[in-house]
Amino acid sequence: MCGILGLYSMDGRDLPAELVLRGLDAMKERGTPHGSGVALYRPVGVPRVKAFSERPAEGGLSVQIPGGLYDLTFFGSPVNVEGTVYLNSRWLDVYKAVGWPRDIDSIYDLRSLSSSAWLGHTRYPTNSPGRYPYYSHPFTAGDFAIVHNGDLSSYGSNVNLLTYRMGYRGFTGNDSEAIAFLLKELSERLGVEGAIRELMYGEEFRWARLDGPYAVAFLAGGPTPVFGAFVDPQHFRPLYVGISGDVIAVASEAAAIRAVLGDASYWALRGGEYLIAEGDDLRGNFRRRYSYPSYVPSPPARAVDASRFSAVDLAPHLRGLLEGGAEVEVDVVNVQGHRYIGNGMTRGVLRIWGVVGNASANVMSGGSIHVYGDVQDDFGDAMNGGVAFIHGNAGDTLGQAKRGGSIYVYGDAGNRAGIQQRGGVIVIGGSVGDYAGEYMGGGIMVVLRATGGDDVGFRIGSGMVGGRIYVRGRVPRERIGRIMRREALERYLRSLLEDGALDQAAYERAVAGDLSQLSRAARRVLVGVNPLSVEYRRLGEVELRELVPHLREFEGAFGVPVDASEEFTVIAPAAGRASEEPSVGE
């Protein structure tokens, strides 16, 4: 739930701290008063050592902070530091404490600082106390600093690696701290890019893989600072990337990117994607996404100005205006991550310009919403009726547990669109991320791939028990249903061979892809119990009668023609089949 932010100037020019504070302010609902902080590239030539202590420094600098503690700073290599050291680097600097980001500014006068590279964090503590400043982010290990949003279930094994293989002691129990030390140690052995892959997949070092939800941004000191970000392969935590000129920004919310970079182009990372910036070099396995219509109407002069409201106060104000009757029309501008807009809406017309915040249009049962911009995560949860048009892109879990109504998206949707969808229609003009239609029980999802050329994600329809998914064009079979990594398949088959459950010939056939010799129980372990029907064909007459009205609605809203006679990939539960054919990854 934490909010993370990173800024990097590829041409080396300094960026003011006010940009970091502005971005963190835009994500205030992701934080609490229990911790925040920043890291920045600030070389000094000798080690800068910082610690929290109950007493002021002797021979160093002291700043009194809330809680009766002192923040100590030494230059060089002090022999004894009475306190908890949280920084020892000649390249980086860190400021953190218990409080909101603006509290940190008040304590340390952050606005007087500037740098070519920044990290920022606002904390929502889940697995360590919020009363002590050490637990605030960023965390450092040598010349590496990280900020993290998530919770690791692998903390014990990660610390075992650091303790028994790499010689570290004295960990605090905070999972984010382990990420910083792992990133440092693995980067020294494998390079930064290799370290990221090792953290995701644990290919060379046992216990290195991070398990659980995470989104991480990091900064590594050196003559040229290295900046980067990555998200877990299952993509349980959002992370957006924006680029404006030579400035890169990453943030937990699209609204924070807008707050920092204005109208910069941005997109959301998908599971397992990462980026690394070093000087003017930007690399990684990411793909730039998101598309927008060529025309968006201008808002009327008398529209509600969302900038006058907090992130949570706008929604009840709009609700009050919409209660005036079924014919009421409300326009609102300057929406910047405002949450809960349109929740419980039953009537009227709501037109929005900007970036709609998390958990909006939830439990909507009537009326219409028109968004001229993007929507963040959890838009349309438990929607019962009404219609929403998004003239932009959608974040993760679009239409979760949706029971009725219609959602039309011009561009892309993130991961888990239509998860647990039970009814109604979702039409996506671009592409969709991993796990689309996961545990779907009813309704229709249509992915047109007409406004963007990106492939759909993986594990489409996993756990699906009802409804149908239509994707224009052919979706490779390995992207549908439960995917297994080939090395995981071979590891499992090898265990069956060693246990005598398979003979050598059956093992070799299974490795080659023929699983017919496996028991039904073994097949279920590998591919799950929900069979899927996957067809590559043109739509039938009954399907056309059902879908064409929604495709025409899409065309009328966005001006994008759709040819319903083209070939589609049609995904649905396959009743009566014993098990789903496996989707084997590389």
Side-chain angles (χ1 to χ4, degrees):
M1 183 61 181
C2 303
I4 69 174
L5 180 77
L7 292 174
Y8 188 79
S9 173
M10 290 189 289
D11 62 4
R13 62 186 170 92
D14 281 350
L15 307 170
E18 178 58 32
L19 289 179
V20 183
L21 296 171
R22 192 185 306 162
L24 294 176
D25 281 347
M27 300 185 289
K28 187 174 182 179
E29 294 304 310
R30 303 187 75 90
T32 66
H34 300 301
S36 55
V38 301
L40 64 154
Y41 181 66
R42 198 182 184 196
V44 289
V46 297
R48 177 190 283 112
V49 180
K50 297 182 116 175
F52 295 117
S53 176
E54 295 180 351
R55 289 182 288 275
E58 294 183 9
L61 305 176
S62 302
V63 175
Q64 192 164 12
I65 61 176
L69 298 175
Y70 292 88
D71 189 349
L72 314 183
T73 303
F74 303 90
F75 294 94
S77 299
V79 177
N80 293 308
V81 177
E82 294 188 16
T84 303
V85 175
Y86 67 89
L87 175 70
N88 187 344
S89 173
R90 67 179 64 237
W91 302 102
L92 306 181
D93 199 0
V94 169
Y95 297 91
K96 62 181 183 175
V98 175
W100 294 102
R102 293 288 174 178
D103 297 329
I104 311 302
D105 177 35
S106 299
I107 296 168
Y108 297 109
D109 189 23
L110 291 183
R111 278 177 290 187
S112 65
L113 302 175
S114 61
S115 175
S116 61
W118 289 90
L119 299 177
H121 190 273
T122 183
R123 188 173 184 230
Y124 195 107
T126 55
N127 64 9
S128 57
R131 63 182 180 273
Y132 189 58
Y134 180 80
Y135 293 110
S136 298
H137 294 222
F139 281 93
T140 68
D143 293 320
F144 282 78
I146 69 101
V147 288
H148 166 222
N149 171 31
D151 293 280
L152 299 183
S153 57
S154 58
Y155 174 77
S157 59
N158 298 149
V159 168
N160 282 342
L161 174 63
L162 290 166
T163 300
Y164 299 112
R165 290 282 301 276
M166 299 175 179
Y168 289 97
R169 298 290 188 275
F171 291 100
T172 66
N174 186 289
D175 54 354
S176 307
E177 178 186 38
I179 297 174
F181 281 90
L182 285 171
L183 186 60
K184 170 186 178 295
E185 289 295 325
L186 294 173
S187 293
E188 291 174 355
R189 293 164 169 79
L190 305 172
V192 173
E193 195 161 2
I196 293 172
R197 289 195 54 81
E198 192 67 18
L199 291 174
M200 288 185 182
Y201 303 113
E203 295 169 337
E204 295 189 36
F205 288 86
R206 186 181 181 188
W207 302 336
R209 185 175 70 89
L210 305 180
D211 186 50
Y214 58 84
V216 177
F218 67 87
L219 181 58
T224 300
V226 179
F227 171 83
F230 54 95
V231 295
D232 71 83
Q234 309 307 317
H235 197 258
F236 284 111
R237 290 294 183 270
L239 197 64
Y240 293 84
V241 182
I243 298 179
S244 178
D246 291 311
V247 178
I248 302 170
V250 299
S252 300
E253 297 193 9
I257 300 289
R258 287 289 196 212
V260 173
L261 298 183
D263 291 332
S265 63
Y266 68 89
W267 68 95
L269 292 179
R270 286 187 183 172
E273 289 189 337
Y274 63 87
L275 65 87
I276 300 169
E278 185 173 5
D280 59 2
D281 176 47
L282 177 62
R283 62 187 186 274
N285 65 347
F286 64 90
R287 293 189 65 174
R288 301 190 187 196
R289 299 180 178 90
Y290 281 19
S291 54
Y292 299 91
S294 58
Y295 170 76
V296 172
S298 299
R302 296 175 62 86
V304 176
D305 184 357
S307 64
R308 297 173 47 241
F309 298 85
S310 74
V312 297
D313 289 336
L314 176 64
H317 177 74
L318 297 178
R319 188 180 306 121
L321 296 177
L322 289 167
E323 288 174 354
E327 305 303 320
V328 171
E329 299 185 9
V330 177
D331 299 298
V332 56
V333 296
N334 298 324
V335 174
Q336 194 79 289
H338 292 78
R339 281 162 156 72
Y340 318 131
I341 296 174
N343 285 3
M345 185 172 170
T346 61
R347 58 190 176 183
V349 178
L350 180 59
R351 287 182 287 264
I352 303 165
W353 283 261
V355 178
V356 174
N358 292 8
S360 292
N362 291 186
V363 203
M364 179 182 177
S365 60
S368 64
I369 295 177
H370 306 256
V371 179
Y372 299 104
D374 300 319
V375 299
Q376 295 183 168
D377 298 348
D378 305 313
F379 184 92
D381 285 14
M383 184 180 186
N384 295 304
V387 60
F389 299 94
I390 302 166
H391 296 252
N393 306 273
D396 292 341
T397 57
L398 172 75
Q400 177 176 222
K402 181 178 179 294
R403 295 187 287 264
S406 303
I407 300 175
Y408 300 90
V409 181
Y410 175 88
D412 294 340
N415 277 20
R416 294 178 173 83
I419 180 174
Q420 297 179 325
Q421 181 180 347
R422 294 294 181 264
V425 176
I426 300 174
V427 180
I428 299 164
S431 183
V432 69
D434 296 343
Y435 296 102
E438 185 180 33
Y439 306 126
M440 188 175 182
I444 294 172
M445 179 187 298
V446 183
V447 183
L448 295 173
R449 295 197 288 186
T451 58
D454 201 17
D455 291 332
V456 299
F458 285 87
R459 305 172 188 89
I460 306 301
S462 295
M464 188 178 182
V465 296
R468 279 160 291 148
I469 301 173
Y470 298 90
V471 183
R472 189 174 69 90
R474 289 197 167 221
V475 177
R477 188 60 180 83
E478 62 267 21
R479 291 180 178 264
I480 301 171
R482 180 178 172 181
I483 188 173
M484 67 187 81
R485 292 175 64 84
R486 183 169 295 278
E487 59 267 30
L489 169 65
E490 293 181 0
R491 188 163 56 245
Y492 178 68
L493 295 174
R494 197 176 305 115
S495 71
L496 295 179
L497 176 66
E498 293 171 355
D499 291 343
L502 285 180
D503 59 30
Q504 184 65 36
Y507 167 77
E508 291 175 358
R509 286 197 300 271
V511 169
D514 177 7
L515 305 184
S516 61
Q517 299 299 308
L518 299 185
S519 68
R520 183 176 180 181
R523 287 170 63 83
R524 285 185 173 184
V525 168
L526 289 173
V527 302
V529 298
N530 296 321
L532 292 179
S533 166
V534 180
E535 300 177 281
Y536 303 108
R537 59 176 173 79
R538 294 183 176 181
L539 302 180
E541 186 175 333
V542 173
E543 292 169 318
L544 287 170
R545 282 201 301 268
E546 185 176 29
L547 292 182
V548 164
H550 297 288
L551 300 181
R552 296 295 172 260
E553 191 82 59
F554 179 89
E555 290 179 344
F558 305 123
V560 177
V562 178
D563 184 358
S565 67
E566 294 186 45
E567 183 181 67
F568 280 76
T569 301
V570 183
I571 306 167
R577 287 174 55 184
S579 64
E580 178 188 344
E581 289 301 315
S583 299
V584 181
E586 292 303 321

